[in-house]
Amino acid sequence: MGAMRVLLLAAALLALACSHGATASDPSLLQDFCVADKMSQVRVNGLACKEAKEVVAEDLFFSGLHVAGNTSNKQGAVVTPVNVAQVGGLNTFGISLARIDYAPSGLNPPHTHPRSTEILTVLEGCLEVGFMTSNPDNKHFTKVLNKGDVFVFPKGLVHYQFNKGATNAVAVAALSSQNPGVITIANAVFGGKPSIPDDIIAKAFQVEKNTVDFIQAQF
């Protein structure tokens, strides 16, 4: 009977651990910090830790988020990320940040963050934002945001921001991963290397192949 109780307890603990692993965004840290050692050849789920005695304040520091990004591009928007690639001290913390600048009519095009939920705060301007739910509903949630407004984009769902105003707009996004990743839908579908065969894309989008060829040429 005692052995059975032990087995049941072990099973319960395993189920609890698996449940936590399935819902967590990034692995939880097991020490005060684990500053990324970007020179390490060790491959882990995340980045190897720098020796604690070698950590300095600059490892947890970033400067420049007050500087406007250059929006002179086709989309009229630019993202300035502050994730583990820029701040090694974010390693294992499960958070990151980004500044997004938008010219008038600028667009942060439909994209997803495969490893992160995002919470966006508008600092200046007026943004139309939205996201799509997963199949089969594909429901479109959209909202016009003004200065000081906040909106949440659920993890992994396709979302976007568009500057509706006549002046520049600025937003800051907080993300629930040290490395949220980004998949821009148009780039992935039409700009992949090697490219997805145009007959596959044509069938998926129910358009002619020459239309696909034209769009692919833009990427």
Side-chain angles (χ1 to χ4, degrees):
M1 192 67 177
M4 180 61 70
R5 287 176 178 172
V6 170
L7 287 173
L8 289 173
L9 178 60
L13 290 172
L14 178 60
L16 179 62
C18 291
S19 173
H20 179 266
T23 56
S25 178
D26 286 354
S28 297
L29 67 162
L30 300 176
Q31 58 279 316
D32 289 342
F33 50 74
C34 173
V35 172
D37 182 356
K38 298 177 183 178
M39 303 302 293
S40 174
Q41 298 301 307
V42 177
R43 309 310 302 166
V44 295
N45 185 25
L47 294 167
C49 301
K50 180 187 287 191
E51 286 283 348
K53 63 184 179 182
E54 297 177 4
V55 173
V56 294
E58 283 70 19
D59 290 321
L60 299 104
F61 173 78
F62 179 88
S63 180
L65 212 60
H66 63 292
V67 179
N70 183 3
T71 57
S72 299
N73 55 58
K74 290 183 178 180
Q75 300 294 347
V78 65
V79 177
T80 303
V82 185
N83 56 47
V84 72
Q86 291 77 37
V87 181
L90 286 173
N91 193 36
T92 73
F93 283 175
I95 56 170
S96 58
L97 195 68
R99 169 180 172 142
I100 311 102
D101 289 274
Y102 315 79
S105 298
L107 172 69
N108 190 10
H111 62 281
T112 73
H113 300 295
R115 295 179 288 275
S116 175
T117 295
E118 175 181 344
I119 181 166
L120 183 90
T121 303
V122 178
L123 302 183
E124 297 290 344
C126 176
L127 297 176
E128 178 181 342
V129 305
F131 69 85
M132 304 294 295
T133 63
S134 54
N135 298 348
D137 294 336
N138 298 133
K139 184 175 180 180
H140 183 200
F141 287 83
T142 184
K143 185 77 174 174
V144 174
L145 306 181
N146 294 293
K147 182 176 180 178
D149 290 343
V150 175
F151 197 79
V152 176
F153 302 108
K155 179 179 179 178
L157 297 188
V158 176
H159 60 282
Y160 63 88
Q161 304 106 34
F162 174 71
N163 183 2
K164 289 179 64 72
T167 60
N168 292 340
V170 182
V172 168
L175 301 114
S176 61
S177 172
Q178 68 180 44
N179 180 24
V182 60
I183 302 171
T184 304
I185 306 305
N187 296 54
V189 174
F190 296 104
K193 294 178 177 55
S195 61
I196 301 174
D198 56 4
D199 58 332
I200 292 177
I201 298 178
K203 186 166 185 177
F205 284 84
Q206 296 295 290
V207 297
E208 298 296 327
K209 286 186 180 180
N210 59 352
T211 301
V212 175
D213 292 338
F214 173 78
I215 297 175
Q216 285 179 326
Q218 312 308 308
F219 295 87

